[in-house]
């Protein structure tokens, strides 16, 4: 099978790495990709938001499966354009991707499907914003209604900060604060059958101890030794299947990757948000543990034949990923700095630890930073402690001027 992956971050590198190890994949392409993805896939320039251009490239390559990684192309309807060209595509339609594209739409779907989530108000005026903030009180949870690349949510005890963010958003969702640990659960679906993956937990705050500003994610781990063994079954029954059923009932079936961001509260599981694609950095640890070859699963979802897929198989190993970010991330990250030590990780730490590229590009013979989150250093081990040790040993070999990373990814879950 010839596969084309759309995107250029660490999530896409993780997908390409898994697909490159799949014996069914005879040719692997990625557009636009990055410096690391270029080692496992042939790269092509493309505007990932241009559905016609993506469909044209897929046709030229005779791709038999297109996998759309990021959320913006999905919300822009790129998957629709690929399917219209007669090529199976893993990723929801533009209409179904509104589950991530609009927080208000997602709340409406959840209400209709009876999915447990935080109470909320959709606000468009300063008066509505003030009423909602007053109704819920601190801590305030303010979410930009549209896509914001993981940075549109502010959780704060400071009323002025919450109000300023809400006013800057235009249309905003203000909701009650959900207590308890957060869990990410992905599910592959063809719009009817739902196949859950293994849960993961990511770390949104920039600094150790969950301090600092929200980011796109600074690390993740899987499995979750503290989670209820029945968690996946519960979320399947109360969240994932009802949501997929509701979207199908509306005539906008969701086919692709449904990502449920969950809070395990004192009152039970609640949905924080939905995403319409693999999450980053959770994908890095989830795929590190997946034994089932990936391509056939994604193709069956794209074709509507996921019911034929046997249960997924998982490694017993634990996985940890640590994000290495550039200087001044998440504010105005510095780019163009040389990255050194990648060859040392490959030579001394593989295959137990490896580097997935996020914001990188080739500059002559050098690889340089090209974004805020630059690398995802991923490692596996017999347990979280060993995976952590291996991940941080690899991180220590990498040299990137001014870079930053959290030192406490999975520490608590590992019992350290």
């Amino acid at each position: 099978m010839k596969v084309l992956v759309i995107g250029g971050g660490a999530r896409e590198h993780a997908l390409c790495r898994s697909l490159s190890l799949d014996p069914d994949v005879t040719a692997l392409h990625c557009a636009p990709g990055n410096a690391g993805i270029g080692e496992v896939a042939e790269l092509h320039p493309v505007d990932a938001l241009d559905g016609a251009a993506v469909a044209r490239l897929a046709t030229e390559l005779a791709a038999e499966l297109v996998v759309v990684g990021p959320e913006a192309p999905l919300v822009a309807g790129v998957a629709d354009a690929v399917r219209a060209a007669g090529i199976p595509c893993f990723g929801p339609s533009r209409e179904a991707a509104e589950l991530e594209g609009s927080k208000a739409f997602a709340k409406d779907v959840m209400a209709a499907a009876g999915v447990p989530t935080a109470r909320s108000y959709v606000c468009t005026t300063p008066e509505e914003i003030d009423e909602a903030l007053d109704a819920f009180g601190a801590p305030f949870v303010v979410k930009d209604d549209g896509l914001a690349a993981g940075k549109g949510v502010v959780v704060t005890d400071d009323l002025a900060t919450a109000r300023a963010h809400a006013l800057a958003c235009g249309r905003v969702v203000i909701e009650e604060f959900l207590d308890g640990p957060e869990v990410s659960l992905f599910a592959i679906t063809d719009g009817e059958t739902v196949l859950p993956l293994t849960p993961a937990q990511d770390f949104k705050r920039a600094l150790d101890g969950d301090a600092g500003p929200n980011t796109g994610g600074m690390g993740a781990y899987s499995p979750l030794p503290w989670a209820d063994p029945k968690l996946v079954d519960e979320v399947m029954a109360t969240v994932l299947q009802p949501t997929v059923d509701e979207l199908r009932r509306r005539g906008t079936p969701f086919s692709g990757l449904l990502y449920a961001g969950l809070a395990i509260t004192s009152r039970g599981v609640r949905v924080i948000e939905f995403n319409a694609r693999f999450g980053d950095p959770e994908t890095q640890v989830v795929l590190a543990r997946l034994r089932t070859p990936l391509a056939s699963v994604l193709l069956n979802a794209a074709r509507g034949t996921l019911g034929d897929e046997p249960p997924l198989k998982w490694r017993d190993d634990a996985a940890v990923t640590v994000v290495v970010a550039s200087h001044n991330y998440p504010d105005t990250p510095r780019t163009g700095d040389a990255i050194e030590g990648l060859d040392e990780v490959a030579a001394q730490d593989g295959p137990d630890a490896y580097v997935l590229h996020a914001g990188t590009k080739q500059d002559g013979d050098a690889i340089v930073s090209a974004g805020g989150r630059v690398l995802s250093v991923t490692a596996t081990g017999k347990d979280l402690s060993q995976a952590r040790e291996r991940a941080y040993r690899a991180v220590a070999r990498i040299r990137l001027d001014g870079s930053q990373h959290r030192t406490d990814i999975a520490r608590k879950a590992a019992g350290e």
Side-chain angles (χ1 to χ4, degrees), residues 101-333:
S102 168
K103 304 286 191 301
F105 175 76
K107 289 290 187 181
D108 185 64
V109 170
M110 284 188 270
V115 170
T117 186
R119 293 180 298 119
S120 63
Y121 294 103
V122 180
C123 306
T124 56
T125 68
E127 292 76 21
E128 290 174 346
I129 287 168
D130 288 340
E131 285 178 20
L133 292 172
D134 183 59
F136 288 129
F140 304 102
V141 181
V142 183
K143 299 181 175 182
D144 191 332
D145 181 53
L147 289 182
K151 302 179 194 72
V153 179
V154 164
V155 181
T156 178
D157 287 319
D158 184 71
L159 178 60
T161 300
R163 190 171 189 274
H165 181 65
L167 291 170
C169 289
R171 193 173 193 229
V172 67
V173 173
I174 296 174
E175 63 183 41
E176 68 175 327
F177 176 76
L178 296 174
D179 64 331
E182 295 184 14
V183 173
S184 301
L185 184 60
F186 303 161
I188 292 170
T189 178
D190 60 4
E192 194 161 340
T193 299
V194 181
L195 205 59
L197 305 187
T198 189
Q201 185 175 60
D202 77 330
F203 294 75
K204 285 279 187 252
R205 298 286 186 171
L207 307 175
D208 283 7
D210 292 329
N214 259 353
T215 71
M218 294 299 291
Y221 69 93
S222 179
L224 313 182
W226 50 267
D228 187 329
K230 298 175 185 171
L231 176 65
V232 173
D233 291 341
E234 180 186 348
V235 175
M236 270 289 291
T238 63
V239 174
L240 297 170
Q241 192 72 56
T243 300
V244 168
D245 291 346
E246 172 62 19
L247 286 165
R248 188 175 67 253
R249 187 191 67 76
R250 293 178 178 218
T252 55
F254 188 104
S255 169
L257 195 289
L258 179 57
Y259 165 147
L262 309 163
I264 313 301
T265 77
S266 54
R267 294 168 293 144
V269 174
R270 297 288 185 273
V271 175
I272 301 169
E273 64 177 355
F274 281 126
N275 292 325
R277 39 69 193 181
F278 280 101
D280 182 343
E282 300 98 319
T283 300
Q284 289 85 301
V285 292
V286 170
L287 292 185
R289 300 187 60 226
L290 181 65
R291 281 179 51 205
T292 301
L294 186 60
S296 68
V297 184
L298 302 186
L299 184 62
N300 274 327
R303 284 178 170 168
T305 54
L306 196 59
D308 299 338
E309 189 68 34
L312 298 176
K313 295 179 181 175
W314 299 95
R315 294 186 174 89
D316 291 333
D317 285 2
V320 171
T321 194
V322 178
V323 170
V324 177
S326 55
H327 176 71
N328 207 37
Y329 176 77
D331 293 328
T332 309

Side-chain angles (χ1 to χ4, degrees), residues 352-371:
D352 299 319
Y354 49 89
V355 178
L356 298 168
H357 291 230
T360 69
K361 69 176 182 180
Q362 197 80 36
D363 185 10
D365 292 335
I367 294 176
V368 301
S369 61

